[in-house]
Amino acid sequence: MSMIMEYVRLRPHELAELRRLLAEEPDNAYEYAGDLGMGDEDEAVSSRGIDTDKAWAGLQWLLAEVDPPVDVIGGGEPMTDDKWGYDPPRLLTAADVAQAARFLAATPFASLAVHYAAAEMTAADVYPGVWSQDWALSYLEESYGQLVTLFCAAAADHEPIVVWMA
């Protein structure tokens, strides 16, 4: 089973509907959030949601080295109890998103890349265990760029972000 981290910007009415679904129809909540992440019909590329594929743990490793003010990988408040099992969806508030966006925008990937250590990441069993591959650093850079873009756009619109493992 692969573990992919999903992120979706939420408008106020969408957050209310997601909360309702989590309480009343939890099986439909993931589908609803996933559909929101696909964006508006007139967008060629969604600005509403991303997934970091399997790069999330590598990004978490690198970000931990620069001490971000908000944990954009594992942070946020759980939106539900144990109905979701090991990883319930988590909400990063609009204030969290704004703080994270300022940090991410001011932190170029190069400042993370200096902490990249394939052997250490492999020895620490950082998921997904591809760190010795020649493409692994660029894989992390691409996902980081998507995170920066999403968080900056959400901050500009004063939107929270819901995060979950798919």
Side-chain angles (χ1 to χ4, degrees):
M1 178 180 129
S2 65
M3 298 182 293
I4 296 172
M5 191 70 69
E6 302 270 351
Y7 295 80
V8 176
R9 296 169 50 183
L10 297 171
R11 297 171 179 144
H13 69 279
E14 295 164 345
L15 177 56
E17 177 63 7
L18 182 59
R19 287 186 191 280
R20 184 194 71 75
L21 286 170
L22 287 168
E24 298 173 14
E25 303 174 51
D27 291 341
N28 294 326
Y30 274 125
E31 184 176 348
Y32 176 73
D35 288 347
L36 291 175
M38 295 185 64
D40 299 325
E41 291 179 18
D42 61 344
E43 291 180 314
V45 176
S46 175
S47 62
R48 303 290 316 285
I50 63 164
D51 71 66
T52 57
D53 193 53
K54 299 173 193 170
W56 61 270
L59 290 173
Q60 190 170 38
W61 172 278
L62 294 177
L63 284 165
E65 296 296 321
V66 295
D67 196 28
V70 176
D71 181 356
V72 299
I73 307 296
E77 289 297 316
M79 293 185 70
T80 186
D81 55 20
D82 63 358
K83 293 178 192 173
W84 291 87
Y86 71 94
D87 190 29
R90 297 173 323 292
L91 184 69
L92 294 165
T93 66
D96 293 334
V97 170
Q99 187 176 23
R102 285 189 298 274
F103 176 83
L104 294 171
T107 307
F109 184 76
S111 64
L112 299 180
V114 298
H115 300 286
Y116 184 78
E120 288 179 35
M121 293 169 75
T122 301
D125 202 26
V126 176
Y127 182 80
V130 298
W131 311 120
S132 62
Q133 301 296 317
D134 60 353
W135 49 264
L137 188 60
S138 62
Y139 174 62
L140 292 172
E141 183 175 17
E142 180 181 337
S143 289
Y144 183 73
Q146 292 175 343
L147 272 179
V148 173
T149 299
L150 182 76
F151 273 78
C152 289
D157 289 341
H158 309 287
E159 294 175 334
I161 292 177
V162 64
V163 182
W164 75 96
M165 187 76 65

